[in-house]
Amino acid sequence: MVSGAELSPDRALANSPPSGAKSSLWEGPGMNILLLGGGGREHALAWKLAQSRLLEGGSKLFAAPGNPGIAEHATCFDMDTTDHELVIAFCEQERIGLVVIGPEGPLVDGLADSLRAEGIAVFGPSRAAAQLEGSKGFTKDLCRRHGIPTAAYVRAASAAEALAALDGFAAPYVLKADGLAAGKGVVIAPDRAAAEAAIGDIFAGAFGAAGASLVIEEFMDGEEVSVFALADGPTVLPFGTAQDHKRVGDRDTGPNTGGMGAYSPAAVLTADLHAQVLRRIIVPTIEAMVAEGAPYSGVLYAGIMLTAQGPRLVEYNCRFGDPEAQVLMMRLDGDLGEYLLACAENRLAAMPPARFSRDAALTVVVAARGYPGTPERGGAIGGIAAAEATGAKVFHAGTGFDETGALVATGGRVLAVTATGASVAEAQARAYRAVDALDFPTGFCRRDIGWREVARAEGGAG
């Protein structure tokens, strides 16, 4: 278990292995791997998994549904992941040794449980454990029971309850749809009138079924960071840090999105603060899940607010972030497949620390015009080779081919242009140089990803 020792954010270790532990513990034959998902996160995972020793000896990486970028590293095919029997049959047919579930939907739906019941190794939590993301109310209640620092809150099952609960809070009001809303189920209302209007919209179906119930939270003032850890029950192994940019506009203006860019590491999270997050938030959560009969296995992604009172939990996700996965995979020095397999097989305690490059990584999301509302689909995309010729990596998120075979936009967030550098400022400059090499007339992006860290490095306020 993680100790209270002060550890650097990207080099902390749980259940310390013997000194001199090998950098690689995989000694078996290669195995076929199935990656589920088709977004930018999954492209980053596929790119890194394709470098794994687990795929040696002619083993294959499959992806469903994948996307044109993932197809460069894996055999892609369509498969209904809500049909658990179909996924199991495919795994048996193709002798899949490890299933990696990328998005949250199949996890909340219990796909990992179905696979484990058939003896198939899977990276991702059970349905019960995935409630940490699937229900914000579940997580808030868990934090209350176990003394995990987070914002004060009230749960509301109707608009009338929510309107009455506003009396216990001050502006700005934080309103969260309880269920999954693709990263967009949060409204920060500046005043009472806006909060009341948002409550009406949410219970009228603005976020679909995710808004059938609501969590109203105390507003937390501070800077938010993303902290990642692998867990396989009682063992926690830290797995990097990042800072996401949720608002659609520069300087964090406009509505929330699924993420318009990110950088790693989050230097504002000092070694001491990172140790506090592990000791007071992440480890107690993992211990609580074990105690409550829902041990967590997979990656736990904690959104942390750095407040004047110390780090406090914003929310949990039960999968790698998007676009945080892109910057983490660019910096990971090691075999991703080995870590994911060790997690699936409850062997994390024997794994060496996860090592990350000292370089920074920064990713800029290029979205389709209209996002986060109704995105304009079908826009032609060119210049990817030119962008990558600058040294950046372009991860595909919402892309596909039209009837002529041309690459086009098929979703809201379309590309994640990712670069590294000795500093965040250098990575930022390289990423935007690559963005400017793209030919995507119906796309747009923020021009200030990493602005807080760049300002701090330049001596500004940040």
Side-chain angles (χ1 to χ4, degrees), residues 86-301:
L86 181 63
V87 178
I88 290 167
F90 178 86
C91 291
E92 293 174 344
Q93 174 184 316
E94 298 296 339
R95 299 182 180 181
I96 299 297
L98 174 65
V99 178
V100 178
I101 302 178
E104 62 275 16
L107 295 168
V108 173
D109 187 46
L111 179 57
D113 304 77
S114 298
L115 291 166
R116 289 192 180 100
E118 298 300 322
I120 299 169
V122 57
F123 178 79
S126 67
R127 182 202 302 267
Q131 288 182 91
L132 285 173
E133 178 169 5
S135 170
K136 293 178 177 64
F138 170 87
T139 297
K140 300 296 286 190
D141 290 348
L142 183 86
C143 289
R144 175 181 285 171
R145 288 195 299 273
H146 294 273
I148 296 166
T150 188
Y153 73 102
V154 170
R155 299 180 70 172
S158 68
E161 286 184 24
L163 290 170
L166 289 179
D167 292 338
F169 296 87
Y173 300 90
V174 181
L175 312 172
K176 295 183 176 181
D178 182 70
L180 298 178
K184 297 188 285 289
V186 179
V187 175
I188 300 177
D191 53 43
R192 178 76 180 231
E196 291 178 354
I199 287 170
D201 291 342
I202 291 169
F203 282 102
F207 298 123
S213 62
L214 184 67
V215 173
I216 302 174
E217 289 188 3
E218 162 200 14
F219 178 80
M220 292 189 290
D221 192 22
E223 191 165 343
E224 187 173 349
V225 295
S226 302
V227 181
F228 296 84
L230 303 184
D232 64 357
T235 302
V236 177
L237 195 155
F239 213 70
T241 67
Q243 185 170 76
D244 188 15
H245 297 60
K246 284 291 186 187
R247 301 282 188 147
V248 73
D250 286 1
R251 293 286 165 149
D252 299 324
T253 57
N256 274 326
T257 72
M260 294 300 294
Y263 68 90
S264 175
V268 69
L269 187 75
T270 64
D272 177 65
L273 288 173
H274 188 255
Q276 290 183 47
V277 170
L278 294 171
R279 183 174 62 250
R280 299 177 183 175
I281 299 175
I282 293 178
V283 169
T285 299
I286 296 301
E287 291 176 336
M289 295 301 287
V290 171
E292 299 201 4
Y296 194 94
S297 177
V299 61
L300 186 61
Y301 158 17

